[in-house]
Amino acid sequence: MAYLFLLGAITAEVIGTSLLKATDGFTRFWPTLGLAVAYLSAFGLLSLAVKDIPVGVAYAVWSGLGTAAIVAIGAAFLGEPLSVTKVVGAALVIAGVVVLNLGGAH
């Protein structure tokens, strides 16, 4: 169940981060409200996940997979350029998460 909470936290964080640009500096009400709800949900779900998953592992997975997802969403939907450097960077983040999990951190 903890990993479902973690997956929900990642999803909520990615939704919130995807809304950042739409808030236009927090001047647009609905995107700002959506961002706030998404981030509050992300942290609430993350707090439930860390009851059973070590906080270092949970945070690494949450931030790492969230970062990789945002790179992909930025390229696919937000018109951000995708470069070899971004792809390599995202791959290194994911590799770090894998290494933490394989290293017996949980």
Side-chain angles (χ1 to χ4, degrees):
M1 191 67 177
Y3 282 96
L4 289 177
F5 288 139
L6 184 56
L7 181 61
I10 293 166
T11 301
E13 186 266 335
V14 167
I15 290 169
T17 302
S18 297
L19 288 170
L20 268 173
K21 192 172 187 176
T23 68
D24 197 26
F26 301 114
T27 61
R28 297 181 60 219
F29 178 75
W30 292 113
T32 300
L33 180 63
L35 177 139
V37 168
Y39 278 167
L40 288 172
S41 298
F43 283 108
L45 290 165
L46 184 61
S47 73
L48 295 173
V50 298
K51 287 183 176 182
D52 295 318
I53 302 170
V55 70
V57 172
Y59 188 76
V61 172
W62 179 69
S63 61
L65 295 182
T67 299
I70 287 300
V71 168
I73 288 169
F77 301 108
L78 301 176
E80 296 178 1
L82 190 59
S83 65
V84 172
T85 304
K86 282 186 181 180
V87 172
V88 170
L92 287 171
V93 168
I94 292 169
V97 169
V98 170
V99 169
L100 276 174
N101 280 290
L102 292 176
H106 63 325

